[in-house]
Amino acid sequence: MLQPWSEIAPRLVDVAMGRKQADLVVRNGRWVNVYSGEIVPGTDVAIVAGRFACVGPDAGHTIGEGTRIVDAAGRYLLPGLCDGHMHVESGLVTVSEFARAVIPHGTTTMFVDPHEIANVLGMPGVKLMNDEAQSLPVNIFVQVPSCVPSAPGLENAGATLSAVDVREALAWPNIIGLGEMMNFPGVAGNDPKMVAEIAATQAAGLTVGGHYASPDLGRAFHAYAAGGPADDHEGTTVDDAIARVRQGMRAMLRHGSAWFDVAAQVKAITERGIDPRNFVLCTDDSHSGTLVNDGHMNRVVRHAIAQGLKPITAIQMATLNTAQHFGLERELGSIAPGRRADLIVTTDLTALPIEMVFGRGRLLAEKGVLVADIPAYDYPASAKNTVKLGKRLAATDFDFSAAGGSDVEVRVIGVVENQAPTTALQRRLPVESGVVQMDRAGDVCQIALVERHRATGGVVNAFVSGFGYDTDCAMASTVAHDSHHMIIVGTNKADMAQAANRLQEVGGGIVLIAGGRELALVELPIAGLMSDERAEVVAEKASRLVEAMRACGCKLNNAYMQHSLLALAVIPELRISDIGLIDVTRFEKTEVILR
C-alpha cells in the first residue's frame, strides 16, 4: 500500500539529504520536465517507498547497499502516461486485464467511468470495478456514473442510479468525481437529478466530467458550462476545442479505436496559438485489439506529435495537464519530489518506444513485456448470466411492416467512419407482402434492438447504412452503449435470429453469422460486456471478428465500435433504443416511416 506523502515526507527528506538510502536510483537520464518544458540531461532520480525523493544532477548520496541502480544511459525519463477519460468495458476485458494490456505501453494512470456495467448491474457493478481497480499496481481512479440511463425517457437500461446513489458513492475510497454528464439537455434545463448530482460532486471537492455532444455552441452550450461540467471529450472541430477552453473547461481530445478527434482539434494549439495548458489527451473507447497490437496512451501521444504538436507539449497533455485537472498534481503527472514514482524510460520522444515502465517505484514492464504479476480478478456469479431475451427469436421477429404500396420512404441511421455521431438519412425501400425490404445494393440493411435485461421479448426494428455488407450475414452484440441491450445489424433475418439466440446461449458477447454459419464469436460473460479471459486471447478473437466483418463486405475502420454506439441516444443524429428510433437532435422518438 502506497503511503500518503504527508506520512512519508520525513523519509523523503532523509533520502534527499543522504541520511537514508533510496530503494531505487535511475542514473544518467534526460529528464523530461513537464513543469518547465525542458529536457534536462545528466539527471539522476532517487525513489523511496514508491515516491520520488530526489531529482537532480547527482543522486549518488542516496545510494546504499540495498539500493537498486538502473543506468538510463542517456535515455529520456518521462512521467507515466495518464488517460483522462476512458471506459474499461470498451476493451471487452476486466480492469485487471486492461491494466495488463496497457502497462507495457506506458500507461500508469487511468480515469475510468464504469457507466457501461452500471447500466447492466447498477451500483453493485460499479463497486465491483472500483474494488478491482484498487487492487492493482497502477493508478486507476473511478468516476461515479452520472447518467444511468443516459437518456431518461428515451431508453430503459438494466438499472437506474439516483442522485442519492451518486451522492453516497462519491464518499467511497478511490472515487475521483462524477462521470461524463451525458444528459446535456438536462443540465441546460436544470433537471433536478442532474443539478443534485453536480452539486454533490462539487461539494465533495471532486471533478464533474462532461459530455456535450452537440454542434450548437450557443445558449445551450453556455448553459452547460455554467451548470458545472469541467471537461468535455465530444468535440470534433477546432472551434469545439477553442470554445470549451474559453469557457474554463478542459478540452479532452480523444483518439480511441474508432474516434479520431485529435487531428482537427489540435489545430487550436498548432495553428491558432491557444495555450495548451487546458488540453488533455484521452482514448475514451479502445478495444482489446488496439490495446494489444497498437498501444494505448503512447499511441495517442505519437499521433498528437504527428499532427504538429511539440513532443513536450503532447507529453504534458497526457501527464501534468491531466493530473492538474483532477486535482492530483501533487500526486502524479510529473517526475518531481513527493509524487508517485511512475516513470517511463525511452530512447525517442517522437516514436516513443516504451523500454521500461515503473509504477510507484516498481518495475512493471520492460521492452514491451509485462514483468509484474497481475493475477486475474474473479467476478462473482451475480455479474454473469445477464442476457435474458425471454424467448428464442425467429426471422419473423425482424419484419418491419408497412401498410399498402410497393415502396416506402424511411429514415435510416447513417454511420460516420471514425466518429461517434451518425447522420439522419432518408431512403426509399421496396415493400413486399406488407414487409419493408432491405436494399443491399444501396448499402441499407436492418438494425434491431432486442431487450435483454428483463426478458420482455421486445424487438425494435429500423434501418442503417454505412457498413457495406454485401452477403447474407448478421452481427449481434450485447455491448450497445449505453443501455446495453442487444443490437443486431444484418442483411438476412434468419442470420439475425441465429445471432441473437447464440448470444443468449453464451451469456453475452459479439457474434457474426453468415449464411447460417458462425464466423466469429467473442464471449463476454461478465455483464455481457467483459470477458474473463486474458486480453491477448480476447484480442485474437476480436481480430477474427474484424476479419469476418471484412469477409462480409464491411470496410469501415473498427466497424465493431461503430456498431456498439448505434443505441447511444445522447449523440446526434439518429439512434435506436428499446422504445424506438430516436431523433437525438430533438431528443424525442421519431417514426421510421416518413409520413
Side-chain angles (χ1 to χ4, degrees):
M1 180 68 68
L2 184 71
Q3 291 179 273
W5 189 350
S6 58
E7 294 179 7
I8 202 68
R11 188 174 174 190
L12 297 176
V13 170
D14 282 341
V15 170
M17 287 295 295
R19 293 190 290 261
K20 291 185 179 179
Q21 68 180 30
D23 296 332
L24 168 69
V25 174
V26 181
R27 310 210 72 176
N28 189 29
R30 283 189 278 182
W31 178 19
V32 179
N33 193 306
V34 292
Y35 278 108
S36 65
E38 301 172 284
I39 309 297
V40 185
T43 297
D44 290 356
V45 178
I47 296 167
V48 68
R51 293 182 181 272
F52 297 118
C54 179
V55 188
D58 184 5
H61 63 288
T62 71
I63 296 173
E65 290 185 3
T67 302
R68 180 186 176 187
I69 300 172
V70 172
D71 184 4
R75 291 177 290 179
Y76 295 98
L77 310 178
L78 61 146
L81 301 177
C82 308
D83 191 341
H85 172 74
M86 57 161 290
H87 308 283
V88 166
E89 304 97 315
S90 293
L92 310 180
V93 293
T94 63
V95 183
S96 297
E97 289 306 311
F98 203 103
R100 287 183 73 255
V102 304
I103 288 171
H105 297 303
T107 300
T108 59
T109 300
M110 295 178 278
F111 297 89
V112 307
D113 181 350
H115 67 214
E116 320 300 356
I117 200 169
N119 273 273
V120 180
L121 299 177
M123 202 56 82
V126 177
K127 189 175 188 305
L128 280 171
M129 292 186 72
N130 188 49
D131 289 347
E132 183 181 9
Q134 294 175 79
S135 71
L136 294 165
V138 288
N139 316 303
I140 302 179
F141 298 100
V142 174
Q143 297 171 295
V144 181
S146 62
C147 301
V148 179
S150 63
L154 299 179
E155 63 178 352
N156 298 288
T160 300
L161 299 189
S162 68
V164 172
D165 293 327
V166 169
R167 185 171 62 249
E168 291 177 354
L170 287 169
W172 294 354
N174 197 54
I175 297 297
I176 198 64
L178 188 66
E180 56 181 307
M181 181 54 71
M182 294 179 288
N183 187 358
F184 54 90
V187 176
N190 273 332
D191 176 272
K193 180 174 182 288
M194 301 300 99
V195 170
E197 289 182 359
I198 292 172
T201 306
Q202 292 174 325
L206 301 175
T207 303
V208 178
H211 171 118
Y212 184 79
S214 171
D216 178 10
L217 297 177
R219 291 184 183 180
F221 171 70
H222 291 283
Y224 187 76
D231 57 61
D232 185 50
H233 58 274
E234 290 295 335
T236 60
T237 70
V238 64
D239 289 334
D240 288 340
I242 293 172
R244 284 150 176 78
V245 170
R246 284 176 176 170
Q247 295 294 323
M249 303 171 77
R250 257 72 175 203
M252 288 191 169
L253 314 186
R254 63 182 171 187
H255 187 69
S257 291
W259 326 132
F260 294 178
D261 298 321
V262 172
Q265 295 186 89
V266 80
K267 292 177 182 176
I269 301 167
T270 59
E271 296 182 6
R272 305 276 283 272
I274 300 297
D275 191 319
R277 285 180 295 176
N278 290 309
F279 289 80
V280 170
L281 294 175
C282 69
T283 63
D284 197 359
D285 297 301
S286 293
H287 67 64
S288 55
T290 300
L291 302 178
V292 171
N293 300 315
D294 301 327
H296 189 232
M297 284 305 298
N298 59 329
R299 170 177 174 264
V300 183
V301 172
R302 284 197 301 262
H303 175 71
I305 293 169
Q307 305 311 309
L309 277 185
K310 295 178 181 178
I312 188 70
T313 302
I315 291 167
Q316 287 168 327
M317 290 165 58
T319 56
L320 180 61
N321 292 11
T322 315
Q324 289 176 329
H325 176 55
F326 287 100
L328 293 172
E329 177 185 351
R330 300 285 286 174
E331 279 295 305
L332 47 89
S334 64
I335 300 173
R339 278 67 169 183
R340 300 182 185 192
D342 303 330
L343 174 72
I344 294 170
V345 178
T346 181
T347 53
D348 190 319
L349 288 189
T350 300
L352 209 59
I354 307 298
E355 291 155 13
M356 301 181 79
V357 181
F358 294 87
R360 304 173 190 171
R362 174 187 170 197
L363 181 64
L364 302 180
E366 189 167 12
K367 297 179 180 177
V369 177
L370 185 75
V371 298
D373 180 30
I374 299 180
Y377 193 84
D378 188 25
Y379 273 71
S382 60
K384 302 176 182 179
N385 300 314
T386 62
V387 180
K388 304 166 185 174
L389 304 187
K391 65 179 183 180
R392 284 189 64 82
L393 295 178
T396 52
D397 286 306
F398 304 102
D399 285 345
F400 192 98
S401 300
S406 60
D407 58 21
V408 65
E409 190 84 8
V410 299
R411 292 183 173 88
V412 176
I413 301 170
V415 172
V416 181
E417 188 168 27
N418 293 329
Q419 289 194 359
T422 65
T423 56
L425 307 176
Q426 296 181 14
R427 295 287 188 270
R428 184 158 291 277
L429 299 179
V431 177
E432 296 179 7
S433 303
V435 176
V436 181
Q437 305 298 302
M438 293 173 263
D439 180 9
R440 188 183 300 172
D443 190 22
V444 177
C445 55
Q446 195 140 338
I447 180 171
L449 185 143
V450 182
E451 199 284 328
R452 68 106 161 170
H453 298 303
R454 298 178 178 85
T456 65
V459 179
V460 173
N461 290 296
F463 299 93
V464 65
S465 177
F467 286 100
Y469 293 125
D470 58 12
T471 188
D472 286 346
C473 66
M475 191 173 88
S477 174
T478 52
V479 179
H481 305 272
D482 276 337
S483 55
H484 296 292
H485 293 290
M486 183 186 296
I487 281 193
I488 313 166
V489 172
T491 62
N492 178 277
K493 296 175 184 177
D495 286 345
M496 293 174 74
Q498 183 178 338
N501 294 329
R502 180 64 169 140
L503 291 189
Q504 183 169 217
E505 292 169 2
V506 301
I510 315 154
V511 66
L512 195 147
I513 305 292
R517 187 166 62 94
E518 184 178 298
L519 299 188
L521 172 66
V522 184
E523 302 95 330
L524 304 174
I526 301 171
L529 302 175
M530 298 180 290
S531 173
D532 52 9
E533 296 182 292
R534 290 293 194 188
E536 307 93 291
V537 174
V538 179
E540 177 59 31
K541 291 183 177 182
S543 177
R544 289 200 292 270
L545 176 71
V546 172
E547 291 172 4
M549 295 177 76
R550 288 175 180 159
C552 292
C554 182
K555 303 299 189 294
L556 276 178
N557 175 58
N558 282 309
Y560 158 70
M561 299 295 285
Q562 305 282 2
H563 182 113
S564 71
L565 256 65
L566 291 172
L568 188 50
V570 292
I571 298 182
E573 294 179 339
L574 283 183
R575 304 283 161 168
I576 190 171
S577 88
D578 61 308
I579 72 166
L581 188 67
I582 305 300
D583 181 342
V584 186
T585 60
R586 298 175 180 271
F587 273 85
E588 64 185 22
K589 179 182 175 182
T590 190
E591 297 301 321
V592 175
I593 297 177
L594 281 87
R595 300 298 182 186

